[in-house]
Amino acid sequence: MAKDLQQFLTLLEKRGQLRRITAPVSPDLEIAEIANRLLLGGGPALLFENVQGATMPLAINVLGTVERVCWAMGMEHPAELETLGEKLALLYQPRPPKQFSQAIDLGKALFDVVKAKPVRDLLPPCQQVVLKDDAVDLNQIPLLRVYPGDADKVITLGLMITKDPETHIPNIGVYRLQLQSKHTATVQWLSVRGCSRHLRKAAEMGKPLEVAIAIGVHPLVILAAATPLPIDLSEWLFAGLYAGKGLTLAKCKTVDLEVPAAAELVLEGTITPGETAVDGPAGDHIGYYGGVNEAAPLLRFHCMTHRKNPIYMTTFSGRPPKEDAMMAIALNRIYNPILRQQVPEIQDFFLPMEGLSYKAAVLSIEKSYPGQAKRAALAFWSALPQFSYTKFVIVVDQTINIRDPRQVMWAVTSKVDPVRDVFILPDNPFDRLDFATEKPGLGSRMGIDATTKVYPETDRPWSEELTPDPDTANLVDRRWAEYGLGDLNLGDVDPNLFGYDLRK
């Protein structure tokens, strides 16, 4: 596994998944337009080596396909991510083992936690160059303005590190920062996030909150920061669990925080409670411009450290496909074992990219009693914090391939009577960025039972599904080449042949 961003980019280039752009390009709209076209087509990562007005190159679309996300995790296929999820499930809600084999599995998981403990680097690459006070200039970084209605340039893939003022436990999150001046930026976050709680505590104690922004970290660390944490494990420990060894950290120069030692760039500063500025509008993951925040927390940076030849790694949000959607698909696989431990009747679940990676979920269950689909949907909404914002849940039988939208649509249309099988829960806490709700921060949820109905859900006998004769199917398999059809690969289906239009 690559140890830092630059090694990972080298891996992508060796595998034909990185293009270097030497032509001069503007960070104002142009780079985002180029990258978006590559994202829509599942194209390679891009390294812009000649960004106008900047002193460093820019990497984007690094995690633009699920395949590249898997490579970042040291794996080759999304299904492998479930093995990691099984390990995390043991730590999420530890239970006394009932069998010797379970005790061994738990012991291995705990040993992995020990191996994942972070270590300190006294001469970190991220501090090869140190700039302080007036020398700090965010304009030297190739920050992007993505959409024409955006208020200003943004930082999108920086890890924000803060520390609880009372317990001193760190929190790591990924938030959008908007440029305000050469050494200030505003942050857009939800009030429930860890960094926001830290700021409220700092305000109560009457002191500023120290902040560090680590940019250009190994993608694996970003994925760890996006994972729902079990018990009191830190994001640094999770990153070590993902990597199979402890993450190397460095102590910041001017604040009492630690950052990944291999980061390309680190910004150090403070947020003074009550000091705010206007943030937004900015293009958001919903596919619309987010609203203006008249009182967004203001970050003041007084130190910037970086490698001798840093690479600025960034991305942007918007209507899928985008890089955050690819990361969500990978995390979906990791969540699977955790969810099954919480709700055993759920066999599998999928968060389609087109549903903004969390607004719609498809669950499969092994149905054994009436009303089970509704129970599974209600349990899903409460299983993990991020599922509370899922607007639609479709529950199907385990025979349905939940990652094939044609099969899911068939189940909905052939097994659902809307009056009986659709239920709505009104007035739930909701994502304020969802403009479809009548009131900001308050919305409804819909569950759809698309399973085969059993008594007393229906009094009608349910007909048998059409399936091929297994003996004849085996016969055709054996004789396929004899028919002269051996050159046809029917596994790779072009959806455009069936009336879809995915070329736009």
Side-chain angles (χ1 to χ4, degrees):
M1 182 182 294
K3 69 177 183 180
D4 56 26
L5 173 62
Q6 296 199 19
Q7 282 195 5
F8 185 64
L9 294 178
T10 299
L11 170 68
L12 295 186
E13 191 165 28
K14 288 180 179 178
R15 295 188 176 186
Q17 287 290 302
L18 176 73
R19 292 290 183 91
R20 294 176 179 267
I21 310 297
T22 57
V25 291
S26 171
D28 187 67
L29 304 181
E30 185 179 6
I31 287 179
E33 176 66 22
I34 297 168
N36 193 49
R37 295 187 184 192
L38 271 291
L39 284 165
L40 291 173
L46 299 172
L47 184 63
F48 291 92
E49 299 180 328
N50 189 0
V51 182
Q52 295 171 356
T55 59
M56 62 189 74
L58 178 150
I60 197 168
N61 198 14
V62 175
L63 299 175
T65 64
V66 175
E67 180 181 49
R68 295 202 291 273
V69 175
C70 289
W71 292 349
M73 303 291 286
M75 300 177 182
E76 297 295 326
H77 191 275
E80 297 178 59
L81 296 169
E82 292 207 23
T83 60
L84 177 58
E86 291 169 359
K87 181 191 302 183
L88 299 183
L90 292 172
L91 301 171
Y92 204 91
Q93 285 187 331
R95 300 172 181 175
K98 296 182 179 180
Q99 300 177 0
F100 183 68
S101 59
Q102 293 176 335
I104 293 177
D105 290 339
L106 180 59
K108 289 179 179 178
L110 293 175
F111 180 66
D112 287 337
V113 172
V114 175
K115 290 194 301 181
K117 185 178 180 181
V119 295
R120 179 72 67 85
D121 189 337
L122 299 179
L123 296 172
C126 68
Q127 295 176 355
Q128 291 172 343
V129 177
V130 179
L131 304 170
K132 293 185 178 181
D133 301 325
D134 287 341
V136 176
D137 187 357
L138 300 181
N139 293 305
Q140 297 302 306
I141 306 172
L143 304 182
L144 297 186
R145 190 168 75 96
V146 180
Y147 299 103
D150 287 354
D152 214 319
K153 298 177 179 179
V154 293
I155 297 173
T156 53
L157 270 186
L159 294 183
M160 177 177 283
I161 300 104
T162 60
K163 188 182 292 186
D164 188 300
E166 293 179 332
T167 66
H168 305 295
I169 296 174
N171 181 85
I172 298 90
V174 181
Y175 310 103
R176 175 180 62 76
L177 306 180
Q178 179 185 303
L179 181 69
Q180 295 288 341
S181 72
K182 63 176 286 187
H183 53 75
T184 63
T186 46
V187 60
Q188 187 75 352
W189 55 26
L190 296 174
S191 60
V192 298
R193 300 303 185 193
C195 293
S196 180
R197 293 195 301 270
H198 291 177
L199 181 60
R200 289 196 295 271
K201 281 191 175 183
E204 293 171 359
M205 299 171 69
K207 63 181 185 180
L209 179 68
E210 294 185 328
V211 177
I213 311 294
I215 301 172
V217 299
H218 191 291
L220 177 147
V221 184
I222 297 173
L223 289 161
T227 304
L229 298 185
I231 49 177
D232 291 324
L233 291 180
S234 74
E235 289 88 351
W236 298 143
L237 202 57
F238 249 45
L241 286 171
Y242 280 4
K245 62 179 181 180
L247 187 68
T248 303
L249 300 177
K251 192 178 188 310
C252 287
K253 287 291 186 179
T254 63
V255 294
D256 186 22
L257 296 168
E258 292 181 316
V259 296
E264 298 291 310
L265 175 71
V266 177
L267 302 173
E268 302 177 12
T270 58
I271 302 177
T272 299
E275 188 173 16
T276 63
V278 178
D279 185 284
D284 221 309
H285 67 285
I286 299 291
Y288 304 97
Y289 288 102
V292 174
N293 184 349
E294 299 285 350
L298 184 71
L299 290 82
R300 291 190 177 275
F301 298 112
H302 51 256
C303 181
M304 179 168 68
T305 70
H306 61 77
R307 289 171 174 256
K308 290 182 179 178
N309 297 294
I311 295 174
Y312 175 64
M313 180 181 174
T314 189
T315 188
F316 55 92
S317 296
R319 186 173 173 178
K322 296 292 183 286
E323 289 186 68
D324 53 2
M326 299 302 107
M327 290 187 278
I329 291 173
L331 289 172
N332 187 162
R333 291 282 193 171
I334 295 174
Y335 295 159
N336 263 339
I338 299 174
L339 180 62
R340 284 196 294 265
Q341 178 172 283
Q342 301 263 49
V343 191
E345 59 207 291
I346 295 179
Q347 301 296 303
D348 199 0
F349 87 106
F350 181 51
L351 301 169
M353 172 183 69
E354 295 78 9
L356 302 175
S357 302
Y358 73 101
K359 287 291 185 182
V362 185
L363 316 180
S364 66
I365 65 171
E366 184 177 3
K367 187 169 180 177
S368 57
Y369 57 86
Q372 188 174 9
K374 185 174 183 179
R375 180 186 183 281
L378 294 172
F380 172 84
W381 276 313
S382 59
L384 293 174
Q386 65 271 30
F387 297 157
S388 63
Y389 287 164
T390 301
K391 190 187 303 188
F392 303 100
V393 172
I394 302 171
V395 185
V396 299
D397 296 312
Q398 64 175 351
T399 55
I400 298 295
N401 179 4
I402 60 175
R403 292 173 178 81
D404 184 343
R406 297 169 301 178
Q407 292 194 35
V408 174
M409 184 59 66
W410 175 80
V412 169
T413 53
S414 70
K415 298 176 183 287
V416 172
D417 174 42
V419 171
R420 177 192 61 200
D421 300 325
V422 175
F423 60 96
I424 296 176
L425 306 179
D427 299 331
N428 296 274
F430 228 62
D431 185 353
R432 296 183 65 88
L433 293 172
D434 192 330
F435 293 100
T437 61
E438 184 177 355
K439 299 177 182 178
L442 198 65
S444 59
R445 302 173 184 165
M446 174 185 287
I448 301 175
D449 178 359
T451 61
T452 302
K453 302 305 177 294
V454 298
Y455 181 81
E457 294 172 328
T458 181
D459 292 328
R460 296 182 62 186
W462 205 275
S463 185
E464 183 179 354
E465 289 185 16
L466 304 178
T467 57
D469 174 64
D471 293 334
T472 304
N474 290 332
L475 172 67
V476 171
D477 286 342
R478 293 194 304 269
R479 300 192 60 193
W480 191 249
E482 184 182 340
Y483 302 147
L485 302 175
D487 61 318
L488 297 180
N489 182 8
L490 301 183
D492 297 329
V493 179
D494 179 3
N496 292 303
L497 298 175
F498 296 95
Y500 295 93
D501 186 355
L502 304 183
R503 292 165 291 188
K504 295 181 180 180

